[in-house]
Amino acid sequence: MQTAANINLVLIDLSSKSGFADSQTAVSDDTSYLHVFVSEWAHAFQSRRAFQELTDKLLRVAEHAYCLRDMKTVQEAALILMNLPMDSARQVGQYYQALAFKKNAKKDEAQALLESVADRAPLTYRARAIQTLGTIHHEQGQLDDALRLYLEAARVALCKSPPDLLTNLMAHLQVSFIKSDVGDHRGALTHLENLLPLVRHAAKQSPFYFYVYQSDLAFELARVGRIAEAGASCEIAIASPFASAYPEWTETRDEIAAKRQSASPSFVAVNRAPEVEHSPQIEPQREPRRSRARLSIWLASEKASFQRASIVIVVSALVVHDGLAQSILDRVRTSIGPRAPPAVR
């Protein structure tokens, strides 16, 4: 009991400074959480259970900080995790360290850590590492490699029991980005719309991704001319407690408003993807390089089977997780069919 009390005392200090209880507040002071922990944990925690409790709380802090783009706190949490006497904590710490490296444009260092995590970490973080590796390829314009990694991340996430719905969602949001990037905005929108049952379940674990989804939905709705619906989705995202960390959401709203006023057929794309690799892990550039002929042919030839497999597999996971999702699965199966040719960008 005393050990648990010591953990709580240390974490109360961390949580209050990180804004963990207030989604709208990001860390801004210069206090080093690592310094606080290093001075306390050596004599405060004696059991594996205590270290596990500490690890779980650090993971929540790191995830929340990542959603707020507070990379200082993410990196400090990563350093603490990597110094705990538990292999699983060290491996997960490497994942968050990789996210910090990636944010700071240290792609080679990030990739090396992510490959290590993908081989050895707990299953959830293996899937997230694979998904984040996909975003690195995505940002470099290597969309065929990115797509394979996203689908592999989704597959690995389903291997967990219960399935890891959040990582699965992140991977499929990235797949919609790829469809959008090759000009298939109708396909991207269909993919997003079919993800709604998954979004509702995953948002119970992390509400942040509901707002990410609404922002992505707004972008694609606007691209296909459904301006009123785009504006409504965008307003939901902007009303969230995370919006201050994502000015691109406001830019998307402004672009939608301009399109509504001008009734112009053009719509200027903005870099609206948040940094969620994962998680957390969702920040490919909106306009990567265009050497995509091979990927475009692959998507065209495999469109029906790809869409059916990717969406039905995801919603099937919900059936395992929640029997009430069976009717949703039936509706999704019947709604997936041949689509009109993709819009030309």
Side-chain angles (χ1 to χ4, degrees), residues 66-83:
Y66 196 94
C67 292
L68 290 172
R69 289 177 165 169
D70 175 12
M71 299 310 297
K72 177 177 180 286
T73 299
V74 171
Q75 184 152 20
E76 289 180 344
L79 291 173
I80 297 165
L81 286 163
M82 288 190 295
N83 282 279

Side-chain angles (χ1 to χ4, degrees), residues 15 33 101 187 201 210 223 311:
S15 298
Y33 301 140
F101 281 153
H201 281 73
F210 173 75
R223 293 297 285 180
I311 300 298

Side-chain angles (χ1 to χ4, degrees), residues 79-113:
L79 291 173
I80 297 165
L81 286 163
M82 288 190 295
N83 282 279
L84 294 181
M86 292 174 59
D87 287 342
S88 59
R90 286 194 289 267
Q91 291 156 0
V92 174
Q94 288 179 343
Y95 167 74
Y96 287 104
Q97 179 68 75
L99 296 185
F101 281 153
K102 181 176 178 294
K103 178 65 173 178
N104 293 323
K106 297 179 179 179
K107 295 292 178 66
D108 291 341
E109 295 93 329
Q111 187 163 344
L113 279 178

Side-chain angles (χ1 to χ4, degrees), residues 13 39 92 119 182 242 248-249 285 307 345:
D13 179 68
S39 66
V92 174
D119 287 337
V182 299
F242 301 96
E248 60 267 40
W249 295 357
Q285 297 298 317
Q307 183 169 294
R345 173 175 281 190

